[in-house]
Amino acid sequence: MALPHRIQDLAPEHARFCLRVQRFMTEELSLDLRGARIVVGFSGGVDSTVLLATLSLLSRRLECTVTAAHLDHGLRAESAEDAAHARRTCKAWGNPFTHRRVDVRAMAGGASGVENAARSARYAFLEEVRADEGADFIALGHTLDDLGEDVLMRQTRGAGWPQLGGMRAVVPERHVIRPLLLTTRAQIEGFATGLALPWVEDATNADTTYTRNRFRHDILPRLTRENPNFLGCIAEQWRLARLDADFFAAQASAALSGAVQGDGTIFLRREIIEDTHKALRLRIFKAALERLGPGQCRADALHRLDALFLSREGGKTVQFPGGKTATCSAAGVLLKPRCG
C-alpha cells in the first residue's frame, strides 16, 4: 500500500498526529530538520512502521529525506520474512532501504547477553548506515510506553536524578533522535490501524525471559491500573528531568572551565566548589569523572568523596570505576584517569 503524498490527504485525526510529532521535534526538542537526512531504524514492527510513515509524510514539509535501515538479528525463524516485509514496505512507500543480517546469538551468551548484544549490533549498524549516507540523524521508534519502562528499570537499578527521568529524546553524540518518545503506543496503533499500515509482530516481545518484557507486560500495566494517567505523569517527569539536566550540565561545565590540566588530569579548586550546594557539587564531581573516560560513577563513592572534601583531610584518595581516582587536599580535588 502506497502512502499519501501529503499530510493534507490524510483524515484530520491522522494529520493532527503527524503535526504533533513535528511540533515535538521542532519546538520541544528544537531540532532543525530543514534539509536534514534521516536514517530510520525500521524493524517492521508497529512503532518503527509509524515512525517511518510519519517522517515520510512530513518530509515534504520539512524538506528532509528519509532512508530505512533494517537489521536482521537472526534470532527467529521468521526474521528473514520480516526483512522481506520491510523491503516491500519501503518499495511501496518509495523509501531507500538498507538491510543486513547478523548472528546475535553467536555474539552473546544467555538471555541478558542476547539483549545487550542485539542492542549493540543495532546501534553499530545504524551508525554505519548514517555515516555511509552522510545523514544527520538516526531516528528510533521509542514511545512513551518505552519511556515508562525505562524509568521503572532505572529506578530498579538505583539511578539518580535527573537520569531517573528516562532516556533522552536527542542524543547528539550518537546522532540519535526519538520523535515518538511522548506518543503512547495506543496512539501509534490507532494511527497505524486508521491508515491500514502493514506491520509485523515480533514474538520475542512476549518473552518474559527478557527484562524489558517483564516490565512491559507485568509491572507497567499494574501501575497503569493504579493510575490510568501514569504515562502522562512519566511524560511530565521527563520534561522536568530534561530542564534539571540542562541546568546541572551548564553549572558543571562552568565549574570545570579551566580545570582540565595539560597532563589530562582535572583539578577542582576548593574556592570554586566549596560554597556550592551539595546537589551541584556531586554533579560537578560526576561530570569531571565522566570527562576522564569510561566507568560509571556510583553514588556511594561520590558521597565519600564529598565527605572527604568537606573534612579537609589531605592526601586521601577515593577510587572510581575505570581506574579513575580523586585525591583531596587543602587546595581542592585532583582527579586522574587510569594510569597507563
Side-chain angles (χ1 to χ4, degrees):
M1 169 191 166
L3 278 177
H5 290 294
R6 305 177 307 163
I7 287 181
Q8 294 90 323
D9 298 327
L10 300 175
E13 65 269 24
H14 301 142
R16 287 194 293 271
F17 178 96
C18 292
L19 294 175
R20 281 197 304 271
V21 173
Q22 178 183 330
R23 285 195 296 273
F24 177 66
M25 291 190 294
T26 60
E27 296 178 15
E28 188 152 2
L29 303 182
S30 302
L31 291 172
D32 182 5
L33 299 175
R34 297 287 176 184
R37 304 182 70 178
I38 304 173
V39 173
V40 174
F42 183 43
S43 69
V46 65
D47 298 338
S48 66
T49 297
V50 168
L51 176 63
L52 181 62
T54 302
L55 291 178
S56 297
L57 286 162
L58 289 170
S59 61
R60 283 195 175 188
R61 294 172 60 88
L62 298 175
E63 301 172 6
C64 62
T65 60
V66 180
T67 296
H70 178 91
L71 184 66
D72 178 353
H73 297 97
L75 293 173
R76 297 175 293 113
E78 61 271 25
S79 65
E81 175 50 36
D82 291 352
H85 163 85
R87 185 184 298 276
R88 289 193 299 269
T89 300
C90 289
K91 183 177 181 181
W93 293 357
N95 293 112
F97 177 77
T98 299
H99 162 256
R100 180 178 300 164
R101 180 183 173 89
V102 296
D103 186 353
V104 166
R105 203 175 299 281
M107 300 164 57
S112 61
V114 168
E115 276 189 284
N116 293 331
R119 183 178 184 275
S120 297
R122 185 164 56 252
Y123 277 104
F125 166 67
L126 292 172
E127 171 55 25
E128 186 177 328
V129 174
R130 186 203 66 80
D132 289 346
E133 297 284 334
D136 303 282
F137 301 108
I138 296 168
L140 303 178
H142 294 107
T143 69
L144 183 53
D145 297 63
D146 295 315
L147 180 62
E149 296 159 14
D150 186 53
V151 167
L152 294 173
M153 291 171 68
R154 287 172 184 242
Q155 191 165 35
T156 302
R157 293 194 299 263
W161 184 260
Q163 287 77 16
L164 265 177
M167 69 182 83
R168 291 180 286 171
V170 180
V171 189
E173 65 271 22
R174 302 179 77 167
H175 309 281
V176 165
I177 59 174
R178 297 182 168 106
L180 302 179
L181 192 59
L182 295 192
T183 303
T184 67
R185 187 163 290 118
Q187 292 170 322
I188 285 167
E189 290 180 353
F191 181 84
T193 302
L195 287 182
L197 302 180
W199 75 85
V200 296
E201 294 287 353
D202 183 345
T204 62
N205 287 336
D207 184 354
T208 54
T209 302
Y210 299 105
T211 304
R212 182 172 289 277
N213 288 344
R214 292 196 294 275
F215 280 86
R216 175 173 299 175
H217 297 297
D218 184 14
I219 299 172
L220 185 59
R222 293 189 187 197
L223 292 169
T224 303
R225 285 194 295 271
E226 292 294 329
N227 176 9
N229 189 42
F230 180 72
L231 289 178
C233 295
I234 290 290
E236 289 309 309
Q237 178 177 297
W238 178 85
R239 288 187 170 101
L240 289 173
R242 186 164 169 258
L243 289 173
D244 285 2
D246 288 347
F247 171 78
F248 283 121
Q251 296 295 312
S253 179
L256 291 174
S257 177
V260 179
Q261 304 187 124
D263 58 359
T265 63
I266 295 175
F267 183 69
L268 297 169
R269 300 197 310 276
R270 181 172 292 274
E271 64 268 22
I272 297 295
I273 59 174
E274 188 168 38
D275 292 332
T276 62
H277 193 284
K278 181 175 180 177
L280 176 57
R281 200 163 54 242
L282 290 172
R283 286 167 172 84
I284 293 171
F285 292 149
K286 182 173 183 289
L289 288 160
E290 287 173 344
R291 288 197 184 188
L292 294 179
Q296 188 173 6
C297 302
R298 290 179 56 89
D300 56 352
L302 289 171
H303 283 289
R304 284 201 306 275
L305 173 58
D306 191 62
L308 186 61
F309 170 76
L310 292 177
S311 74
R312 291 180 172 266
E313 293 184 55
K316 292 193 175 181
T317 297
V318 178
Q319 300 282 339
F320 288 89
K324 294 173 284 190
T325 61
T327 303
C328 294
S329 68
V333 181
L334 178 65
L335 301 108
K336 295 181 178 181
R338 179 193 293 273
C339 295

